[in-house]
Amino acid sequence: MTEDVEPSDDEGLPINRRDVMKAAGTAAAITGFSGVGAASGVQDDCTCEAGTTQCFPEEEQDTNCSYCKISLSVGESCTIPDTNIEITRESGRCISYSDPDGAISDIALKAGNFCECTYLSEVELNEDDQLCTTTSEGEDCQNDISHITVEYNCNGEPPEECEYTADMTRVDSFCCDGVMVCVDDVEQGSLTCPVTAKLSLESPKGTNACTTSSMEHTFEESGCYTFDLSDLCCNPTEVTFYDDNENVIETCTPDESLDCRCVCENKFCKVEGIPEAGESYCDGAITVTNVTQNGSCFSFTSTVDICRVFVKGGGGPDAGETYEFPCGTREASELCANVNPGGQLSQISHIDFYVCEDRSNECSSVNCS
């Protein structure tokens, strides 16, 4: 009795399997496994055999992928050249593999001329995380592996190691309201690897107004980017450019330190006498939330950024206490008038509020090294 054999083309691959490969295209990247009880045989680079394989025939191969056809004896392991992919022959029918970089797209096992190929992309691993030849319906395909083919790096060859230099990075402006940084790979035209610019920040002297220590932007392509500081009370102090391996390309610092406070010159409004708790003043912009110490101290909230408050008490025309808010504030507590000549807190005679008119826009040229 003659067995029914699936029709095949002149490469020996079953016709229906070739159609599946065409429809499926390149398999998705598959996370590697470490085989249980891996053999301790030869650990060396695999020898990728010449010639085509029935599992990945030459005319079906994706030109963006690399292929390595290997033969291993039971107990032997080898590493695919120029990768971290390690293949181990665990038994006659099974292999295990390690792929820490996620480079593998597919693995195919061939087990004799009358057995279909077994593909990692189509079957489940066994309980030991091993890929084994499978039994096709109507055919005995329990044969030992004749060869193993690994399809990998299907995004093309990895880019050459980037050798970025300081002549491709620059700081176009270094100001309190923003810092513009640029990266331009003149020779390549577009970046072959990402470049990250890190802007370091600190609070203006004598304050803790800056709420972040740094900002970062990663360039995937040549161009410029502006770190927007208009809503932050922070002094920019340094720009550092890093390559994809976190190596420093260049560091840029200002010629002169900036003091990025808000402009606080014009009086916003004046409140006469001791204010009343719960009342609003200055056309509703200032609300007094509390009055204490027998009318000597008060607290407030505001709908505008208040950068200075002068609380006048007794003891002469210049007597009073000044409270500075370098980047503006919308609330403050227990602002008291001055102590009078008798050593007691004066009652409030009037209060002057100053509003942040604008953020300081100091700028500096930079030195890069």
Side-chain angles (χ1 to χ4, degrees):
M1 181 175 178
T2 303
E3 290 185 0
D4 291 332
V5 179
E6 192 172 13
S8 62
D9 62 10
D10 56 1
E11 293 289 342
L13 184 67
I15 290 174
N16 66 338
R17 176 63 198 143
R18 294 178 64 81
D19 292 339
V20 170
M21 288 293 290
K22 287 181 180 179
T26 303
I30 302 170
T31 305
F33 297 86
S34 296
V36 176
S40 58
V42 177
Q43 300 281 337
D44 204 350
D45 276 354
C46 301
T47 299
C48 297
E49 298 177 9
T52 60
T53 166
Q54 291 182 13
C55 297
F56 296 108
E58 187 172 356
E59 63 271 21
E60 296 290 339
Q61 291 183 11
D62 188 333
T63 56
N64 291 319
C65 300
S66 296
Y67 297 84
C68 186
K69 174 185 174 184
I70 61 176
S71 295
L72 289 174
S73 299
V74 175
E76 288 185 341
S77 298
C78 69
T79 302
I80 303 296
D82 301 320
T83 74
N84 291 315
I85 301 169
E86 182 180 291
I87 306 295
T88 299
R89 179 77 175 269
E90 299 285 1
S91 64
R93 295 183 49 244
C94 301
I95 67 164
S96 64
Y97 71 97
S98 174
D99 181 23
D101 301 327
I104 291 175
S105 175
D106 211 348
I107 300 176
L109 306 180
K110 190 71 179 74
N113 292 330
F114 298 101
C115 294
E116 287 190 351
C117 296
T118 300
Y119 294 88
L120 175 63
S121 59
E122 296 182 356
V123 303
E124 294 183 359
L125 303 178
N126 67 12
E127 61 183 7
D128 292 328
D129 283 342
Q130 297 172 5
L131 176 66
C132 305
T133 59
T134 56
T135 301
S136 296
E137 184 178 354
E139 288 187 87
D140 181 8
C141 283
Q142 296 285 346
N143 298 348
D144 284 354
I145 298 166
S146 57
H147 64 256
I148 306 157
T149 307
V150 182
E151 180 186 53
Y152 60 99
N153 283 349
C154 285
N155 290 323
E157 293 297 321
E160 296 180 3
E161 184 176 351
C162 305
E163 295 182 356
Y164 289 150
T165 57
D167 60 2
M168 62 175 293
T169 57
R170 68 181 189 274
V171 177
D172 269 11
S173 62
F174 199 97
C175 303
C176 284
D177 66 347
V179 176
M180 179 182 286
V181 294
C182 300
V183 176
D184 185 16
D185 190 342
V186 178
E187 293 185 1
Q188 297 292 332
S190 61
L191 301 183
T192 55
C193 291
V195 173
T196 297
K198 178 180 180 180
L199 175 65
S200 297
L201 302 165
E202 67 180 13
S203 295
K205 187 176 181 180
T207 77
N208 60 355
C210 187
T211 57
T212 184
S213 61
S214 65
M215 303 170 73
E216 291 187 358
H217 177 74
T218 298
F219 290 88
E220 300 288 348
E221 298 179 354
S222 296
C224 295
Y225 176 82
T226 299
F227 292 102
D228 184 4
L229 306 180
S230 57
D231 292 330
L232 297 178
C233 186
C234 299
N235 292 345
T237 60
E238 181 179 85
V239 175
T240 305
F241 295 93
Y242 298 89
D243 66 16
D244 197 31
N245 293 316
E246 299 185 358
N247 299 312
V248 175
I249 301 171
E250 186 174 40
T251 299
C252 300
T253 55
D255 289 336
E256 297 180 359
S257 297
L258 304 181
D259 188 10
C260 301
R261 302 164 181 249
C262 70
V263 177
C264 192
E265 296 176 351
N266 298 322
K267 187 186 298 184
F268 178 59
C269 65
K270 181 177 183 178
V271 176
E272 296 282 1
I274 301 172
E276 293 186 24
E279 291 294 319
S280 294
Y281 301 87
C282 306
D283 294 328
I286 306 292
T287 299
V288 173
T289 56
N290 199 16
V291 177
T292 60
Q293 300 288 335
N294 194 30
S296 296
C297 306
F298 79 105
S299 304
F300 76 92
T301 61
S302 170
T303 60
V304 294
D305 290 336
I306 300 298
C307 54
R308 182 185 306 141
V309 179
F310 175 70
V311 187
K312 178 71 173 69
D318 297 325
E321 290 291 341
T322 299
Y323 299 88
E324 298 278 358
F325 304 96
C327 297
T329 186
R330 297 205 169 191
E331 61 179 333
S333 300
E334 287 294 294
L335 305 185
C336 300
N338 55 292
V339 175
N340 61 29
Q344 303 296 318
L345 275 175
S346 300
Q347 287 188 322
I348 297 170
S349 64
H350 74 261
I351 307 166
D352 292 330
F353 291 93
Y354 293 76
V355 70
C356 264
E357 295 294 332
D358 198 358
R359 300 292 176 186
S360 171
N361 194 27
E362 292 185 12
C363 297
S364 175
S365 55
V366 295
N367 288 316
C368 298
S369 59

